[in-house]
Amino acid sequence: MDDLLRFPSAVRRDPRVEAWFRDFADPFRLMVQVWFERMRGCGDDVRELLHDGCPVACVGDAAFGYVNAFTAHASVGFHHGAALADPAGLLEGTGRRMRHVKLRPGRRLDADALNDLIEAAYHDIRRRLAPF
């Protein structure tokens, strides 16, 4: 369990996350809002916070996903994404644990596959938190 990224300050709804999404001048934030809502909807144990300038979803205090917006793309990321099955090949990254899905305007996205990744990341972190 020592490989979990923990945020004891995570809360059910963080007003700073809400403010982050209210920046309507940034189209990439709007692009990832639906995916963060999907993370929020995974279970009653989902908490959130703004960390390093982006919304992070947790189960309790353990992070499982995040979204972010950049100048040319947006991303939906997973803290233990390297451990997730990804039959659609959406995940990018070479880190030991984290992976992300890049979203770009005009580029087709397999929404069902991204939904599956979010669900899998949620269940993965719940398993990691379960007592032995």
Side-chain angles (χ1 to χ4, degrees), residues 56-68:
V56 174
C58 302
V59 170
D61 68 350
F64 74 93
Y66 64 92
V67 297
N68 209 347

Side-chain angles (χ1 to χ4, degrees), residues 113-130:
L114 184 48
N115 267 318
D116 290 347
L117 285 170
I118 291 169
E119 189 73 20
Y122 169 75
H123 288 292
D124 175 69
I125 202 69
R126 289 194 62 179
R127 278 190 299 277
R128 291 171 189 272
L129 289 167

Side-chain angles (χ1 to χ4, degrees), residues 32 46 62 70-71 74 78 111 118 123:
V32 294
V46 174
F70 302 95
T71 56
F78 305 98
I118 291 169
H123 288 292

Side-chain angles (χ1 to χ4, degrees), residues 38-86:
R38 177 68 183 95
M39 289 179 196
R40 283 174 164 168
C42 283
D44 290 338
D45 53 357
V46 174
R47 302 293 178 262
E48 67 187 43
L49 73 152
L50 199 67
H51 176 70
D52 285 344
C54 67
V56 174
C58 302
V59 170
D61 68 350
F64 74 93
Y66 64 92
V67 297
N68 209 347
F70 302 95
T71 56
H73 72 279
S75 65
V76 178
F78 305 98
H79 289 89
H80 290 274
L84 300 176
D86 181 24

